[in-house]
Each structure stands twice: as C-alpha cells, then as structure tokens.
Amino acid sequence: MASPSRRLQTKPVITCLKSVLLTYTFVFWVSGIVLLAVGVWGRVSLAVYFSLLDEKATNVPFVLVGAGTVVVLLGTFGCFATCRGSTWMLKLYAMLLSLIFLIVLVAAVVGFVFRHEIKTNFESNLNLALRDYNVTADRHSEAVDTIQRTLHCCGVQNYSDWERTEYFTQRGIPQSCCKSQDDCSEEDLKDPSKAKLKVFVDGCFFLVTSMMESKMSVVAGISFGIACFQLVGIILACCLSQYITNNQYEMV
C-alpha cells in the first residue's frame, strides 16, 4: 500500500488530466461539427463540378459528413468516459481515436495519389458534355452552362472547342459563353471570327481544376489538422487511464 502523501500527489495529476482531456474532448466534438459543415458546404458549393465527375468522386462530401457524425458521437463518448474515470472506457476511447486517425490518414493519401486521375476524368466528362450539349436542360448541359457563366470561361481548353460540336452547327456557341447577354446575337455566335470578340476565350478545364484544388486543399487541410489533433487525445486518454490504474493500485 502506497503512502498517503504519494496518493495525495497522484490525485491532483488525475484531476488536471481530466480537466485537460475534457477540454480536448469538447474541442474534438466541435471539430466534428466543423467536418459536418465542410461536408455540407462541399456538397452544395461543388455540386455542379461533382456532376461532371464519376460517382466515386461525388461521395467525398458524404464521407466528410459521415466522419463528422462519427467524431461528434465519439466526442460525446469521450466526455462520458472522462467524467466517469473508467479505465476501460478511456482505453476504448484511445483505440477508437487511433482507428479514425488511421482511416483519415489513408483517405488523405489515397486522395493525393489519385488527384491526377480525377483531373483526367473531369476533362473527359467535360468533353463528353460539350459533345452531347443541348438546350433541353439535362444535368450535364446545365453544369456546363453554370461553369461557363460562373468562371467566365468557354469550352474545355478554349472557346474553339465548341466549333467541333453538333450544337455549334445548329445554334453556334452557347449563350452561357457570352461576355454580355445584351450584345451577343445568335448570328455572332455562329461566326467564329465574330464570336471571339463576344465570348470568353479561355477554356474551363484549367480554371475548374484550379478552383477545385484550392477548395479541396481547404477540406484536406481541415481534415488533416483534425487527424493530427487526435494524437493529442490518444496520449491524454492513455495517460489518464494509466494514472487512474496506478492510483487504484496504490490504494490497495
């Protein structure tokens, strides 16, 4: 049996660790809300671009929403485990944090490795969208119009890409490429030499990929920061569990 002075030294450490871990768990819980918000924001703000990617890429926002939900639930469990001072619950909390850390790390590496494949896939689908473009407002045609209006671009590499489409032979370059809707007649859009002065000449592919990379960098940075932050929780939970175990042992 340990001396009373030794036990008195251990209890303040446990109290301090509990306070720190509770603070961490609250911040971790808030980070789950942030992940949820980022997932929803990504789905809403990047929806038009995801529509021109394959189905796997469109799942990214849902993965973030799912991860955010898990983090919120895990944060709630961590708070309960810390307040109870249960060693097995704290160890389980540390194990779950480790598991999520590894999953996020693997997901980040996979996303980095396949980023060029995503670009290639987007370029291919954008070319197909131009080829099949029509005015019946199908999903891909609407996406092309939205991208061209929003980013002030035209075509894939440049505005001349439209000259190789069936739509151009019928209607010319789409109105969504026009710099000004008031000064952009169908006759002008059917004449490449006149259209060059009326429409945006830069292609959309470079602008879209640059914009998506910048936004996805924000998402990746937040996700990676949360993953690294989990290491702190793992260490705190393990330390608190060990101190509680030692304190129980010393009381015997």
Side-chain angles (χ1 to χ4, degrees), residues 52 124-134 140-141 144 162:
L52 293 174
S124 174
N125 286 344
L126 187 57
N127 276 308
L128 286 173
L130 259 68
R131 188 194 69 185
D132 300 331
Y133 182 87
N134 57 68
H140 289 161
S141 296
V144 170
W162 283 105

Side-chain angles (χ1 to χ4, degrees), residues 70-85:
V70 171
V71 168
V72 169
L73 293 174
L74 187 55
T76 304
F77 174 78
C79 183
F80 182 71
T82 304
C83 292
R84 284 286 304 273

Side-chain angles (χ1 to χ4, degrees), residues 22-68:
L22 278 173
T23 303
Y24 163 84
T25 302
F26 175 73
V27 176
F28 181 63
W29 185 86
V30 171
S31 72
I33 300 295
V34 172
L35 270 180
L36 273 168
V38 169
V40 173
W41 167 78
R43 180 59 186 167
V44 173
S45 65
L46 299 178
V48 65
Y49 308 105
F50 280 128
S51 68
L52 293 174
L53 290 172
D54 60 25
E55 190 175 347
K56 292 179 181 178
T58 60
N59 290 330
V60 172
F62 296 112
V63 171
L64 289 174
V65 170

Side-chain angles (χ1 to χ4, degrees), residues 114-158:
F114 289 100
R115 69 190 188 283
H116 295 300
E117 185 178 327
I118 293 173
K119 280 186 179 181
T120 303
N121 176 263
F122 179 79
E123 184 177 18
S124 174
N125 286 344
L126 187 57
N127 276 308
L128 286 173
L130 259 68
R131 188 194 69 185
D132 300 331
Y133 182 87
N134 57 68
V135 290
T136 57
D138 66 279
R139 184 166 60 95
H140 289 161
S141 296
E142 282 187 347
V144 170
D145 284 336
T146 301
I147 289 170
Q148 290 184 151
R149 288 195 191 98
T150 305
L151 300 182
H152 296 171
C153 59
C154 190
V156 181
Q157 301 300 333
N158 56 60

Side-chain angles (χ1 to χ4, degrees), residues 136-210:
T136 57
D138 66 279
R139 184 166 60 95
H140 289 161
S141 296
E142 282 187 347
V144 170
D145 284 336
T146 301
I147 289 170
Q148 290 184 151
R149 288 195 191 98
T150 305
L151 300 182
H152 296 171
C153 59
C154 190
V156 181
Q157 301 300 333
N158 56 60
Y159 77 100
S160 65
D161 292 329
W162 283 105
E163 296 173 27
R164 297 185 289 275
T165 65
E166 184 179 347
Y167 181 84
F168 180 81
T169 60
Q170 299 172 358
R171 306 281 297 272
I173 296 173
Q175 288 280 339
S176 56
C177 282
C178 292
K179 295 177 182 177
S180 172
Q181 297 296 323
D182 299 327
D183 184 26
C184 204
S185 66
E186 188 171 314
E187 290 71 21
D188 291 336
L189 295 174
K190 286 182 177 179
D191 186 343
S193 59
K194 292 181 179 178
K196 186 178 181 179
L197 303 174
K198 305 284 186 177
V199 301
F200 304 112
V201 295
D202 295 328
C204 296
F205 174 69
F206 177 74
L207 291 174
V208 169
T209 52
S210 298

Side-chain angles (χ1 to χ4, degrees), residues 95-114:
M95 288 174 60
L96 291 173
L97 284 175
S98 302
L99 181 62
I100 293 177
F101 170 75
L102 290 174
I103 291 172
V104 172
L105 203 60
V106 169
V109 171
V110 170
F112 180 78
V113 170
F114 289 100

